[in-house]
């Protein structure tokens, strides 16, 4: 019944805060429908009914479904009632879990939007971690590895920088050190706690493709030394030998996204921490 | 009926991918119950029933509720059936929206976990953006402002670095320039598109507190010039004059989290883009 499929299903994503959650949920679900072309509009920071009502009216006109993450109960109720009356889809992605916790604990939710991102100690820790990661990217200050929570080692194009920034955004102080066979490993690598070192590796063919693209972006079409397979293998062998020597966990980033590799790193980090506590 | 409240409501967060979504939802909801102490365990990358079943059994023993984000229908069904049988709470945070889209489009979801984080063009764009942001933090290469999507200006402690990294993680190429009354503004600031410049500002008292803390972290208790109110006001006046001259949007970061400020910046960025298209 393809004539029944709206050409572009419309969705309005509404939040009384930043709206990253409702965006992430929509993205997680919509990527499961690669043949469907969605028409999505974001409405963050909708904290009063006089901001909400015009959006609801527009949704009715455009027959757009609404996916919301209202913490504010009144706004949630207004939107829910309006959508029911207008015959459009409404989902508050927080509702079911919220209801369950109220039911389980008998405690009322505080109702303040945006407090997931509040300016608390954790927040300042994150800012500090991001600054640390920027200042300790690419082995800039090996001495400061001592202050890092996590030290990433890897040859060129093993995602050291994006991984460092991603982990820093979660509050971890991350330093990274590029491994080059011709450079000396700073002594500090042998002095810091082994448990905070992670070795990154990659497949030869992925590295080759990655490096060619980078050279091309620099306007260099033929960069034989840097992208040569034998050279890459030499670098990888050098890195693997060091990882063995340090006896550190090694993660191959070849088929993993930053999120996936970061999650593995945190799993290693937490397992070491819990071993230390035991 | 406080004796009915479990001392620590237990939750298992399970995902067949990274699990960031289910974590974010749980955090968004649980911060609304500041008096409740939750006991939360994460199980990412659960992609087979032989990994899932022991977790479900453990949940039954501990009477833990389960919040999941399974894309895989079979795993979702196994978990749902098990929890119903075991009498424990089960929520798949993707289900309602998934069902709605199937109902609306008659298209079947692809069922592949983790594709929100797949290694596509957008992914490489993000890595490139993160590297750009690291290399263009703190006004390192003003010439490259020409290649930036967004240029952030601000005096010390206006969140330039964390904002740059946060936006870069979303795929925007961000450069930032610290404003210091004694330094010359690079000419390029007057040459690049005005629409990509954002001015950051902050409240005097917040800046003072922030800077004192930073000095203290450096072991400097008395840093009178840097933290002096009159000095901060001079810097702010200097920045505000430049913002007026450039006629750029100005965001006060005083009471805003990184996520909130970043969302505002993207709103400015998108509004300029749509004006350009019109």
């Amino acid at each position: 019944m393809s004539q029944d499929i709206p050409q572009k299903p419309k969705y309005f994503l509404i939040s009384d805060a930043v709206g990253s959650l409702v965006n992430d949920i929509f993205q997680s679900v919509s990527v499961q429908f690669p043949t469907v072309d969605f028409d999505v509009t974001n409405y963050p920071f909708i904290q009063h009914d006089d901001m909400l009502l015009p959006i609801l009216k527009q949704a009715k006109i455009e027959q757009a479904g609404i996916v919301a993450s209202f913490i504010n109960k009144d706004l949630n109720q207004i939107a829910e009632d309006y959508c029911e009356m207008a015959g459009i889809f409404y989902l508050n992605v927080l509702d079911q879990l919220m209801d369950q916790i109220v039911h389980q604990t008998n405690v009322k939710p505080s109702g303040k939007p945006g407090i997931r991102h509040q300016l608390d100690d954790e927040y300042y820790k994150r800012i500090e971690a991001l600054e640390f990661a920027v200042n300790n990217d690419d082995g800039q200050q090996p001495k400061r590895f001592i202050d890092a929570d996590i030290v990433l080692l890897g040859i060129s194009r093993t995602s050291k920088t994006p991984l460092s920034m991603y982990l820093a955004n979660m509050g971890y102080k991350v330093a990274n050190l590029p491994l080059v066979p011709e450079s000396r490993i700073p002594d500090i690598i042998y002095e810091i706690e082994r448990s905070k070192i992670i070795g990154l590796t990659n497949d030869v063919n992925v590295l080759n493709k990655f490096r060619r693209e980078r050279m091309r972006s620099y306007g260099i079409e033929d960069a034989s030394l840097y992208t040569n397979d034998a050279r890459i293998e030499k670098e990888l062998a050098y890195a693997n030998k060091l990882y063995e020597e340090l006896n550190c966990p090694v993660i191959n980033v070849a088929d993993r996204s930053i999120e996936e590799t970061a999650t593995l790193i945190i799993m290693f980090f937490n397992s070491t921490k819990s071993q230390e506590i035991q």
Side-chain angles (χ1 to χ4, degrees), chain A:
Chain A
M1 259 89 54
S2 65
Q3 72 269 34
D4 290 334
I5 307 176
Q7 272 306 303
K8 272 192 161 196
K10 275 192 184 177
Y11 281 90
F12 285 6
L13 310 186
I14 314 180
S15 171
D16 44 16
V18 166
S20 54
L21 190 59
V22 76
N23 248 297
D24 287 349
I25 289 209
F26 194 85
Q27 221 202 327
S28 288
V29 173
S30 60
V31 292
Q32 294 295 319
F33 301 87
T35 57
V36 179
D37 189 13
F38 293 95
D39 179 351
V40 177
T41 314
N42 285 286
Y43 298 97
F45 302 124
I46 304 303
Q47 300 180 343
H48 300 286
D49 51 4
D50 54 357
M51 294 170 81
L52 176 60
L53 285 169
I55 298 168
L56 295 174
K57 281 180 192 160
Q58 193 59 32
K60 188 185 171 188
I61 294 167
E62 302 189 22
Q63 285 293 295
I66 289 178
V67 184
S69 62
F70 287 120
I71 290 292
N72 182 306
K73 274 183 151 189
D74 297 337
L75 293 180
N76 185 43
Q77 199 60 54
I78 291 170
E80 196 174 335
D81 293 348
Y82 189 98
C83 292
E84 200 188 328
M85 182 270 291
I88 54 180
F89 175 75
Y90 179 73
L91 169 66
N92 183 339
V93 298
L94 304 175
D95 253 6
Q96 286 176 291
L97 183 58
M98 193 79 93
D99 289 351
Q100 166 65 14
I101 293 174
V102 170
H103 170 78
Q104 183 182 18
T105 62
N106 243 338
V107 176
K108 277 192 184 163
S110 64
K112 277 183 237 153
I115 52 176
R116 183 159 69 103
H117 303 304
Q118 66 188 355
L119 307 176
D120 54 9
D121 287 349
E122 199 151 323
Y123 174 79
Y124 292 106
K125 201 183 131 197
R126 239 178 83 199
I127 293 202
E128 207 189 321
L130 275 161
E131 290 177 345
F132 183 91
V134 170
N135 292 327
N136 290 282
D137 183 55
D138 213 32
Q140 286 175 58
Q141 308 176 71
K143 270 186 199 164
R144 295 206 61 200
F145 287 0
I146 218 103
D147 303 320
D149 297 318
I150 297 165
V151 177
L152 303 177
L153 310 181
I155 66 168
S156 176
R157 305 283 86 190
T158 48
S159 306
K160 295 184 296 298
T161 297
L163 274 171
S164 300
M165 299 309 140
Y166 187 86
L167 289 163
N169 193 45
M170 298 176 81
Y172 298 94
K173 287 166 108 174
V174 185
N176 71 65
L177 180 75
L179 300 181
V180 184
E182 291 73 19
S183 299
R184 216 177 133 262
I185 303 291
D187 293 337
I188 191 122
I189 285 292
Y190 301 97
E191 290 159 20
I192 57 176
E193 278 170 59
R194 293 291 162 96
S195 64
K196 65 183 177 190
I197 299 176
I198 301 274
L200 300 174
T201 189
N202 205 337
D203 292 347
V204 173
N205 55 336
V206 178
L207 283 170
N208 201 316
K209 181 173 166 274
F210 234 150
R211 290 185 177 187
R212 269 186 210 286
E213 271 167 21
R214 183 183 233 191
M215 285 297 110
R216 210 164 287 143
S217 77
Y218 290 163
I220 301 167
E221 283 296 328
D222 176 38
S224 42
L225 178 64
Y226 185 69
T227 63
N228 181 289
D229 276 1
R231 166 69 194 181
I232 290 174
E233 273 161 18
K234 183 184 167 188
E235 289 183 27
L236 283 174
Y238 170 80
N240 289 334
K241 192 169 158 277
L242 179 68
Y243 299 158
E244 267 177 44
E245 205 180 320
L246 295 169
N247 193 23
C248 65
V250 179
I251 302 175
N252 186 330
V253 303
D255 294 316
R256 294 194 168 94
S257 68
I258 296 302
E259 285 83 355
E260 286 167 341
T261 309
T263 304
L264 287 174
I265 292 172
I266 293 165
M267 285 166 80
F268 278 122
F269 181 80
N270 288 339
S271 71
T272 322
K273 283 278 150 205
S274 58
Q275 276 167 17
E276 276 169 16
I277 293 162
Q278 278 161 10

